[in-house]
Amino acid sequence: MRLDAGCEILFEASAPTPLILMLRPRSGLGQWIFREEYLLEPSVPMVEYTDSYGNLCQRLVTPQGSFRVRAIASAETADTIDVQPGAPFVPVQNVPDGVLQFLLPSRYCPCDRLGDLATKIVADCAPGYDQVEAIRDWIQTHIDYQYGTSDASTSAFETAQDRVGVCRDFAHLGIALCRSLNIPARMVVGYLYQLDPMDLHAWFEAFVGDSQSQDPQGRWFTFDATQPQPRGNRITIAYGRDAADVALATQFGPLQLNEMRVWVEPSP
Amino acid sequence: MRLDAGCEILFEASAPTPLILMLRPRSGLGQWIFREEYLLEPSVPMVEYTDSYGNLCQRLVTPQGSFRVRAIASAETADTIDVQPGAPFVPVQNVPDGVLQFLLPSRYCPCDRLGDLATKIVADCAPGYDQVEAIRDWIQTHIDYQYGTSDASTSAFETAQDRVGVCRDFAHLGIALCRSLNIPARMVVGYLYQLDPMDLHAWFEAFVGDSQSQDPQGRWFTFDATQPQPRGNRITIAYGRDAADVALATQFGPLQLNEMRVWVEPSP
Amino acid sequence: MRLDAGCEILFEASAPTPLILMLRPRSGLGQWIFREEYLLEPSVPMVEYTDSYGNLCQRLVTPQGSFRVRAIASAETADTIDVQPGAPFVPVQNVPDGVLQFLLPSRYCPCDRLGDLATKIVADCAPGYDQVEAIRDWIQTHIDYQYGTSDASTSAFETAQDRVGVCRDFAHLGIALCRSLNIPARMVVGYLYQLDPMDLHAWFEAFVGDSQSQDPQGRWFTFDATQPQPRGNRITIAYGRDAADVALATQFGPLQLNEMRVWVEPSP
Amino acid sequence: MRLDAGCEILFEASAPTPLILMLRPRSGLGQWIFREEYLLEPSVPMVEYTDSYGNLCQRLVTPQGSFRVRAIASAETADTIDVQPGAPFVPVQNVPDGVLQFLLPSRYCPCDRLGDLATKIVADCAPGYDQVEAIRDWIQTHIDYQYGTSDASTSAFETAQDRVGVCRDFAHLGIALCRSLNIPARMVVGYLYQLDPMDLHAWFEAFVGDSQSQDPQGRWFTFDATQPQPRGNRITIAYGRDAADVALATQFGPLQLNEMRVWVEPSP
């Protein structure tokens, strides 16, 4: 469906602060951005670059004082996500070069330390999609969604121990468990229609075979351990190894995020 | 200043036709896109990719019949372009790796055949910016701007002989002459505020030293041989070696462009 | 088989001259470089970069006087090239993003001017591999291989008129004719075992469907219009749109190539 | 000086195992590879790709049983590394786009947890090179170099607590401390002449201003916390965020490394 999504952030800076934002979704295979808007108050010079994952990043130095960012995107999205029980595991030797990096451990996804848990969770599953779905289901069942229980330094290892977290932690744990089984997995941040309470959201994708297209290379499938049912109408803003790569705002100085408002509505 | 620019194109296809469009400017060092819109009528699936020059390209298959594309961008642009008489030539060994390709001959810029003319034009100039400016001035003085005198197969070699052409030919000639002097040069297409008559526009950039920043690597400077005076307020849509790389619409089948409207106005 | 290939070039420079060499083949899907050597006499600083096609390029400034370059590669190569009569045409909408550039006209392959000839040559062929083979065969039959009849400014358009040229011209013509039919085609330079007389060689690749793997995306197939039979045991040094991209030596000043020796032998 | 470096690894696989090797150094600004050799016993198909950091990676599937890899490189290297006390800090807003990723936390360099320690170490230093040198010196003084005290899951946070580790841990700690001060830092693996005992080695680079070239962008400087004095004659094999990116062998299955021999000698 056609969605109008946006977010508005109010910062307060005690001194001018370098800031990198990732708030501009790109048009791609799964989504088409047909309208967007990106406003700063006060207006300051901003330049955009593409990071090594293909995400658009906006660089600027905030002025001292109040600083408001407002980014809006209208997108054509898919109403559903693909669900393919039985889709096969892609042997590592067939994983495309550019996808191999999503098998490696990363800051919040120390897959090298979660192999035992993963093996236990997927004990009875056919390799591939079914393993990922078992992981997703296990997380949804065993991890409590609770605000304020994790912070910017919480890794999947801690989430597996503490059994509590928010969407970002759910995604990290899903990614780390997949990677420990040699299934490439990556972090996604973006908008989800009818998320409740509304906020920016994080989920994950896993790379498995596509049994329908018989493409031996496989492709990315969407998984969201915070939701009981597969749901479409997502707008992806950025991909990365984990939250370190896809922070919507990375600041290098004394910047306070005072207010943030997010909305996703049907496009009129 | 803040500009609202856009174009609307009406195609007619006797059969479904693959089409690549380049109608989405990117935010970068010189311009900030704060609003945009991209509409198709009827709506068809469209995907976007980045070419090897960093341009955004939109791929689609037009339906049979009428097909309308409307792309709008609002941008913060610079009111003037940098003019630096005396800025030095960058010796080839100091040209950055990624810029070297803009020294090579290309479809419409056969610089290997224009060395004699270039040498004559820049006879009395200091190497670098002054040479490019002499080339720009020579083109403006010696080539007649006239619609209908060139077509999609006209190269700079022919323009140098026939001494007539449109903005695209002016740019190709400027590029080819620069390259024949080992000055990297590239094609730019985009919008120019107060262009008369209004249309999509083409100009060129040359890579020379920056005497102000004392950066030994040099940088790109804007030149427009169709204009008597340096003018800012440009919105770049795409860069490339020549028009082959930056066609706003590249079609692969029986597609007719029936109407095209372009506008550039101060943003309210 | 395992091949030892190499070339030795003797330059003479009346002044220090920037030079870009492409003499280092890369290991890839079709070939494995298990040994190599790259020597300069006298020794001067040389740096290497990767161009936008993935080729390794060596940059240096030659000293004044004599300058010798010796580049040797030992490679595991395929004894045969794939021949797939009937392999299907890949519709432009299915061509991978990165391959689209090989549909565009380029300096020596003005495909925009060769459509009529191409249409005539492939009149009775099924779209795809058979068209490319008909083009290859037509070139081999109708173009005379003759040294000294073309030079660094000869394009495929002229070769089609003059009906004479060398391997580079044969490749350009093949590429231009393919592109005029919307078949992506690219230039290849490298070594060919038992080429007679031995020299560096040029041929081309066309992108068509792979009927054996049923991969809908297609892949690159090798064609060599200078040879009566398909022959393997090639070592690719570089890929590009045409000879402008893959010159083994691009010089920017008064450099004379005085001698060149090339060899390709079975590895002991 | 000219060095012959190499390593030979003997694996034993109980089943065919996908393996990614990084054992082929690239020619670049700081080093020129004039000879190399890469052998597998038994010979199996191997393909090479470039990762997102520009490193050459070799992919293969080992056969069952014994498997030997032998990679040799002869390189021209610099006898010394640049030492520039006083070279200034590069403010984040001036860090080149491609370097920004080296400010982020990564698997083994959780810089988000080491800010306090870093602040203490650099208390009296001018921002920039002197801070990095203070960090390097602190590590060399306070961390014991001891085999068998850390493993593949040890992060810089643990090394800071345990005060013991090997070259890889020393590098991780240096990187994490730099990043916590907003100084970009990256991992380097390669060869070091006269390392004792000889082995493959790891060190780090930090991105600070270059006070000699007055280049405002800064550049990478080499630091090695395992050595009391700055030492040149290094051959870099790979760069990355941390050891997860630059493992010389990443295996995906039951593969045992039974023997490894490394040598670095003056080239005859």
Side-chain angles (χ1 to χ4, degrees), chain D residues 1 21 31 47 66 69 83 90 122 126 130 154 176 180 183 201 265:
Chain D
M1 69 188 290
L21 297 167
Q31 65 189 12
V47 297
S66 281
V69 178
V83 173
V90 179
V122 304
D130 295 355
T154 306
S180 76
I183 297 176
H201 192 45
E265 282 152 24

mmCIF file of all heavy atoms in Angstrom, chain D residues 1 21 31 47 66 69 83 90 122 126 130 154 176 180 183 201 265:
data_model
loop_
_atom_site.group_PDB
_atom_site.id
_atom_site.type_symbol
_atom_site.label_atom_id
_atom_site.label_comp_id
_atom_site.label_asym_id
_atom_site.label_seq_id
_atom_site.Cartn_x
_atom_site.Cartn_y
_atom_site.Cartn_z
ATOM 1 N N MET D 1 63.024 -1.775 2.098
ATOM 2 C CA MET D 1 63.879 -2.802 1.529
ATOM 3 C C MET D 1 63.012 -3.844 0.817
ATOM 4 O O MET D 1 61.797 -3.805 0.886
ATOM 5 C CB MET D 1 64.715 -3.469 2.634
ATOM 6 C CG MET D 1 63.945 -4.321 3.624
ATOM 7 S SD MET D 1 64.956 -4.897 5.051
ATOM 8 C CE MET D 1 66.051 -6.088 4.311
ATOM 9 N N LEU D 21 40.244 -17.416 2.627
ATOM 10 C CA LEU D 21 41.604 -17.038 3.002
ATOM 11 C C LEU D 21 41.866 -15.584 2.645
ATOM 12 O O LEU D 21 41.307 -15.057 1.686
ATOM 13 C CB LEU D 21 42.610 -17.935 2.270
ATOM 14 C CG LEU D 21 42.548 -19.432 2.604
ATOM 15 C CD1 LEU D 21 43.354 -20.244 1.604
ATOM 16 C CD2 LEU D 21 43.073 -19.673 4.015
ATOM 17 N N GLN D 31 53.352 -0.086 -0.419
ATOM 18 C CA GLN D 31 54.119 -1.304 -0.705
ATOM 19 C C GLN D 31 53.881 -1.701 -2.164
ATOM 20 O O GLN D 31 52.804 -1.477 -2.707
ATOM 21 C CB GLN D 31 53.704 -2.432 0.229
ATOM 22 C CG GLN D 31 52.271 -2.887 0.052
ATOM 23 C CD GLN D 31 51.817 -3.847 1.139
ATOM 24 O OE1 GLN D 31 52.463 -4.036 2.143
ATOM 25 N NE2 GLN D 31 50.677 -4.472 0.932
ATOM 26 N N VAL D 47 38.422 -19.116 -6.110
ATOM 27 C CA VAL D 47 38.092 -17.846 -6.753
ATOM 28 C C VAL D 47 38.410 -16.711 -5.796
ATOM 29 O O VAL D 47 38.449 -16.888 -4.584
ATOM 30 C CB VAL D 47 36.623 -17.744 -7.209
ATOM 31 C CG1 VAL D 47 36.315 -18.792 -8.266
ATOM 32 C CG2 VAL D 47 35.689 -17.873 -6.036
ATOM 33 N N SER D 66 44.157 -33.936 4.226
ATOM 34 C CA SER D 66 45.185 -32.919 4.378
ATOM 35 C C SER D 66 45.063 -31.871 3.287
ATOM 36 O O SER D 66 44.728 -32.194 2.150
ATOM 37 C CB SER D 66 46.581 -33.546 4.245
ATOM 38 O OG SER D 66 46.923 -34.169 5.437
ATOM 39 N N VAL D 69 48.333 -24.911 2.117
ATOM 40 C CA VAL D 69 48.289 -23.620 1.430
ATOM 41 C C VAL D 69 49.647 -22.969 1.588
ATOM 42 O O VAL D 69 50.199 -22.933 2.702
ATOM 43 C CB VAL D 69 47.223 -22.687 2.049
ATOM 44 C CG1 VAL D 69 47.229 -21.339 1.370
ATOM 45 C CG2 VAL D 69 45.852 -23.321 1.977
ATOM 46 N N VAL D 83 56.550 9.038 11.756
ATOM 47 C CA VAL D 83 56.311 9.413 13.147
ATOM 48 C C VAL D 83 56.145 10.927 13.160
ATOM 49 O O VAL D 83 57.030 11.641 12.710
ATOM 50 C CB VAL D 83 57.499 8.991 14.029
ATOM 51 C CG1 VAL D 83 57.351 9.525 15.442
ATOM 52 C CG2 VAL D 83 57.630 7.471 14.043
ATOM 53 N N VAL D 90 41.793 15.220 13.607
ATOM 54 C CA VAL D 90 40.898 15.608 12.508
ATOM 55 C C VAL D 90 39.471 15.648 13.049
ATOM 56 O O VAL D 90 38.930 14.611 13.440
ATOM 57 C CB VAL D 90 40.981 14.612 11.342
ATOM 58 C CG1 VAL D 90 40.036 15.024 10.230
ATOM 59 C CG2 VAL D 90 42.414 14.513 10.822
ATOM 60 N N VAL D 122 45.083 9.668 27.972
ATOM 61 C CA VAL D 122 45.531 10.783 27.137
ATOM 62 C C VAL D 122 45.417 12.125 27.850
ATOM 63 O O VAL D 122 45.469 13.179 27.206
ATOM 64 C CB VAL D 122 44.734 10.848 25.808
ATOM 65 C CG1 VAL D 122 44.838 9.515 25.071
ATOM 66 C CG2 VAL D 122 43.279 11.226 26.052
ATOM 67 N N ALA D 126 48.052 16.640 23.554
ATOM 68 C CA ALA D 126 47.382 17.413 22.524
ATOM 69 C C ALA D 126 46.548 16.449 21.686
ATOM 70 O O ALA D 126 46.974 15.329 21.411
ATOM 71 C CB ALA D 126 48.422 18.120 21.646
ATOM 72 N N ASP D 130 49.505 12.647 19.228
ATOM 73 C CA ASP D 130 50.069 12.446 20.573
ATOM 74 C C ASP D 130 49.155 11.590 21.447
ATOM 75 O O ASP D 130 49.631 10.807 22.283
ATOM 76 C CB ASP D 130 50.333 13.793 21.250
ATOM 77 C CG ASP D 130 51.421 14.581 20.507
ATOM 78 O OD1 ASP D 130 52.013 14.021 19.543
ATOM 79 O OD2 ASP D 130 51.646 15.745 20.865
ATOM 80 N N THR D 154 37.951 -12.929 22.692
ATOM 81 C CA THR D 154 38.421 -11.877 23.593
ATOM 82 C C THR D 154 38.303 -10.493 22.943
ATOM 83 O O THR D 154 38.863 -10.252 21.881
ATOM 84 C CB THR D 154 39.900 -12.127 23.959
ATOM 85 O OG1 THR D 154 40.035 -13.444 24.473
ATOM 86 C CG2 THR D 154 40.383 -11.104 24.975
ATOM 87 N N ALA D 176 40.158 0.422 19.941
ATOM 88 C CA ALA D 176 38.969 0.788 20.727
ATOM 89 C C ALA D 176 39.201 2.088 21.491
ATOM 90 O O ALA D 176 38.317 2.950 21.564
ATOM 91 C CB ALA D 176 38.604 -0.348 21.687
ATOM 92 N N SER D 180 37.154 5.673 20.889
ATOM 93 C CA SER D 180 36.378 6.279 21.974
ATOM 94 C C SER D 180 36.698 7.766 22.092
ATOM 95 O O SER D 180 35.951 8.519 22.716
ATOM 96 C CB SER D 180 36.646 5.556 23.288
ATOM 97 O OG SER D 180 37.909 5.926 23.794
ATOM 98 N N ILE D 183 38.819 9.261 17.213
ATOM 99 C CA ILE D 183 39.918 9.113 16.254
ATOM 100 C C ILE D 183 39.696 7.805 15.495
ATOM 101 O O ILE D 183 39.689 6.734 16.105
ATOM 102 C CB ILE D 183 41.284 9.057 16.970
ATOM 103 C CG1 ILE D 183 41.550 10.368 17.711
ATOM 104 C CG2 ILE D 183 42.405 8.754 15.984
ATOM 105 C CD1 ILE D 183 42.838 10.376 18.526
ATOM 106 N N HIS D 201 51.367 -11.123 11.891
ATOM 107 C CA HIS D 201 51.335 -10.092 12.906
ATOM 108 C C HIS D 201 50.090 -9.219 12.739
ATOM 109 O O HIS D 201 49.454 -9.199 11.687
ATOM 110 C CB HIS D 201 52.619 -9.249 12.759
ATOM 111 C CG HIS D 201 52.882 -8.316 13.902
ATOM 112 N ND1 HIS D 201 52.758 -8.688 15.212
ATOM 113 C CD2 HIS D 201 53.275 -7.013 13.925
ATOM 114 C CE1 HIS D 201 53.052 -7.662 15.998
ATOM 115 N NE2 HIS D 201 53.371 -6.637 15.232
ATOM 116 N N GLU D 265 62.151 -12.571 4.876
ATOM 117 C CA GLU D 265 63.605 -12.476 4.682
ATOM 118 C C GLU D 265 63.948 -11.422 3.648
ATOM 119 O O GLU D 265 63.135 -11.108 2.791
ATOM 120 C CB GLU D 265 64.135 -13.837 4.200
ATOM 121 C CG GLU D 265 64.257 -14.852 5.325
ATOM 122 C CD GLU D 265 64.104 -16.272 4.811
ATOM 123 O OE1 GLU D 265 64.357 -16.503 3.613
ATOM 124 O OE2 GLU D 265 63.710 -17.138 5.613
#
